């Protein structure tokens, strides 16, 4: 925190800047934008005034560069240090966007278990997109697999590493099909709402992330309504969507993925030897033939999905790792015996082999409550 005397100096400095914006002895535009920005920040975030802090204009952009060369350096440094102490300072670009590819790679390797394909494909896709600001379309990924295998978990990891506020960022929007679009008779209303929500976010944030959970339950009309935003267009009605990322999460193809994994196990091959060439064509076929919005939408017929990402069924050893992480999240370090107890309490399929966890790791955080001392 800043001493009272310094805070008083800062307030006086801001007041002086506001007045001087109309005077004739400073760079009018620079001073005006800076003073207005800092006053807006105080009003919106400290005094909690009635404002719209995400307005897309110069007064809402973080001031950068040498905006007041004739002003005493002492006061410039004081104001900058105070502003950065509030957590609103960043080296470049939009402070809401972090694009931490190193963190993304680390989290996928350390926190995601049993999903070597998802780890590789998601990292390469995101990294390639971020490093190519001139991409000719938004990035569209489709996650497939059983419930509990990590689809939502990976979506959250992506959000956490690309945005300062993670899934809660104003640059991220999560849609859950049965919740947000529950009534088929209202599909026309939903179309307008969805288009408006996506357009509004893209206008407010230069890089956006849209997550559609249980995407197989989306009405085909809804997907087609936003299809132009995922296509190879410079802009749609004057707005460019090329820096948007769309993630579709569904259970489509889960059975086919499990069959391939089981075949590898029966033949004595390691699951880590399963490649994208073994699954991608199957997932594309499954998505085309499945009931629901995917198969009937132009998203599939227009080949707008960049990568079909398979999530393999989890084995006993992976469930133990999930249990270990769940305990660690509570600050606990269980022994191997406790982890075995948690893993054994899960249901495994097929009946003969009992190889794959039927629920993945989804219920582990709740399950460990029964094994706490």
């Amino acid at each position: 925190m800043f001493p009272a005397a310094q805070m008083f100096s800062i307030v006086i400095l801001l007041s002086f800047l506001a007045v001087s914006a109309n005077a004739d002895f400073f760079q009018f535009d620079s001073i005006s934008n800076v003073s207005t920005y800092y006053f807006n920040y105080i009003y919106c975030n400290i005094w909690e005034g009635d404002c719209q802090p995400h307005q897309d204009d110069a007064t809402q952009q973080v001031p950068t560069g040498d905006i007041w060369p004739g002003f005493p350096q002492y006061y410039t440094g004081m104001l900058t240090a105070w502003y950065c102490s509030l957590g609103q300072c960043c080296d470049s670009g939009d402070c809401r966007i972090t694009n931490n590819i190193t963190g993304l790679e680390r989290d996928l390797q350390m926190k995601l278990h049993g999903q070597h394909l998802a780890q590789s494909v998601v990292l390469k896709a995101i990294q390639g997109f971020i490093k190519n600001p001139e991409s000719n379309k938004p990035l569209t990924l489709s996650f497939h697999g059983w419930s509990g295998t990590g689809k939502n978990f990976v979506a959250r990891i992506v959000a956490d590493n690309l945005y300062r506020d993670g899934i809660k960022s104003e640059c991220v929007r999560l849609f859950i099909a049965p919740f947000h679009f529950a009534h088929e008779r209202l599909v026309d209303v939903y179309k307008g709402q969805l288009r408006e929500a996506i357009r509004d976010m893209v206008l407010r944030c230069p890089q956006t992330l849209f997550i559609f959970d249980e995407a197989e339950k989306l009405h085909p009309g809804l997907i087609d309504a936003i299809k132009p935003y995922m296509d190879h267009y410079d802009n749609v009605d004057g707005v460019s969507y090329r820096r948007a990322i769309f993630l579709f999460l569904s259970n489509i193809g889960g059975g086919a993925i499990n069959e391939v994994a089981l075949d590898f196990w029966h033949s004595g091959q390691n699951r880590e030897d399963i490649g994208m060439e073994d699954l991608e064509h199957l997932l594309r076929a499954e998505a085309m033939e499945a009931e629901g919005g995917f198969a009937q939408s132009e998203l599939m017929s227009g080949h707008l999905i960049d990568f079909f990402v398979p999530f393999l069924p989890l084995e006993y050893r992976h469930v133990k790792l999930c249990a270990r992480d769940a305990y660690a999240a509570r600050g606990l370090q269980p022994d191997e015996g406790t982890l075995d107890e948690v893993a054994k309490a899960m249901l495994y399929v097929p009946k003969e082999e009992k190889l794959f966890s039927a629920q993945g790791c989804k219920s582990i955080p709740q399950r460990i409550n029964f094994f706490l001392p």
Side-chain angles (χ1 to χ4, degrees):
M1 297 295 293
F2 283 79
Q6 274 194 312
M7 282 303 300
F8 177 75
S9 298
I10 289 169
V11 172
I12 295 299
L13 174 60
L14 291 172
S15 301
F16 177 72
L17 288 174
V19 173
S20 67
N22 295 319
D24 295 329
F25 46 87
F26 278 114
Q27 296 179 357
F28 310 126
D29 292 340
S30 297
I31 294 297
S32 178
N33 284 346
V34 169
S35 59
T36 305
Y37 179 87
Y38 286 118
F39 270 118
N40 280 344
Y41 181 82
I42 293 174
Y43 186 60
C44 297
N45 297 279
I46 297 177
W47 296 333
E48 298 182 352
D50 182 15
C51 62
Q52 295 182 359
H54 310 307
Q55 180 182 339
D56 188 20
D57 62 31
T59 67
Q60 300 295 340
Q61 305 304 312
V62 180
T64 58
D66 189 12
I67 41 88
W68 35 30
F71 205 76
Q73 188 66 32
Y74 172 75
Y75 293 108
T76 302
M78 183 191 301
L79 183 56
T80 301
W82 167 77
Y83 179 69
C84 291
S85 74
L86 299 173
Q88 293 295 315
C89 195
C90 56
D91 292 334
S92 62
D94 193 313
C95 295
R96 298 167 296 180
I97 301 170
T98 56
N99 287 343
N100 184 3
I101 299 300
T102 301
L104 175 63
E105 181 177 15
R106 181 187 61 246
D107 285 351
L108 288 173
Q109 289 294 331
M110 301 298 294
K111 298 179 180 180
L112 181 65
H113 306 302
Q115 302 297 353
H116 67 283
L117 293 175
Q119 288 170 341
S120 174
V121 175
V122 171
L123 178 62
K124 289 179 180 178
I126 297 291
Q127 187 175 34
F129 181 75
I130 296 301
K131 289 187 175 182
N132 179 23
E134 303 301 324
S135 59
N136 61 3
K137 71 179 290 293
L139 177 64
T140 304
L141 305 180
S142 188
F143 294 176
H144 299 265
W146 265 4
S147 178
T149 52
K151 300 185 298 294
N152 280 281
F153 187 57
V154 170
R156 186 174 294 271
I157 286 177
V158 170
D160 287 342
N161 284 285
L162 297 191
Y163 302 94
R164 180 190 60 195
D165 300 322
I167 200 73
K168 295 181 179 180
S169 171
E170 60 194 27
C171 299
V172 179
R173 186 69 182 269
L174 169 65
F175 298 99
I176 304 173
F179 177 76
H180 290 99
F181 316 111
H183 307 289
E184 187 172 346
R185 58 186 172 81
L186 297 177
V187 66
D188 289 333
V189 176
Y190 295 149
K191 286 180 184 179
Q193 293 175 342
L194 184 57
R195 282 192 292 249
E196 182 179 354
I198 292 176
R199 186 177 190 276
D200 179 61
M201 276 196 63
V202 169
L203 287 174
R204 288 193 290 111
C205 191
Q207 178 186 293
T208 48
L209 173 64
F210 300 100
I211 304 169
F212 292 85
D213 195 11
E214 299 190 52
E216 73 276 9
K217 298 176 183 176
L218 286 169
H219 189 282
L222 275 177
I223 301 179
D224 289 343
I226 61 173
K227 177 256 184 187
Y229 304 150
M230 291 175 275
D231 213 330
H232 300 74
Y233 296 132
D234 288 337
N235 65 78
V236 178
D237 295 330
V239 179
S240 174
Y241 296 86
R242 289 184 169 186
R243 300 313 299 164
I245 301 172
F246 293 86
L247 303 182
F248 292 91
L249 286 52
S250 77
N251 296 330
I252 294 174
I257 295 172
N258 296 349
E259 288 179 11
V260 171
L262 189 59
D263 288 342
F264 267 70
W265 184 80
H266 281 148
S267 64
Q269 300 180 74
N270 295 325
R271 66 185 277 134
E272 288 74 19
D273 292 330
I274 300 174
M276 286 298 293
E277 66 276 7
D278 299 307
L279 289 170
E280 189 168 21
H281 66 287
L282 289 176
L283 291 181
R284 190 179 296 274
E286 289 277 328
M288 289 290 290
E289 297 171 4
E291 295 182 4
F294 252 63
Q296 304 170 43
S297 72
E298 294 182 22
L299 191 64
M300 292 300 303
S301 60
H303 304 286
L304 296 180
I305 296 178
D306 297 297
F307 296 96
F308 290 86
V309 185
F311 283 74
L312 303 174
L314 299 180
E315 299 175 4
Y316 182 90
R317 57 189 168 119
H318 305 126
V319 174
K320 284 184 65 176
L321 292 173
C322 291
R324 181 202 64 188
D325 292 348
Y327 276 108
R330 302 190 184 192
L332 302 173
Q333 293 182 330
D335 56 30
E336 285 296 313
T338 301
L339 295 179
D340 278 320
E341 286 185 34
V342 175
K344 288 177 181 176
M346 303 294 286
L347 176 66
Y348 293 86
V349 295
K351 285 185 178 180
E352 298 77 15
E353 293 89 351
K354 294 186 177 180
L355 181 62
F356 304 134
S357 171
Q359 298 170 296
C361 286
K362 196 171 187 177
S363 62
I364 290 293
Q366 291 75 37
R367 290 266 180 174
I368 65 173
N369 291 328
F370 296 103
F371 299 93
L372 294 175

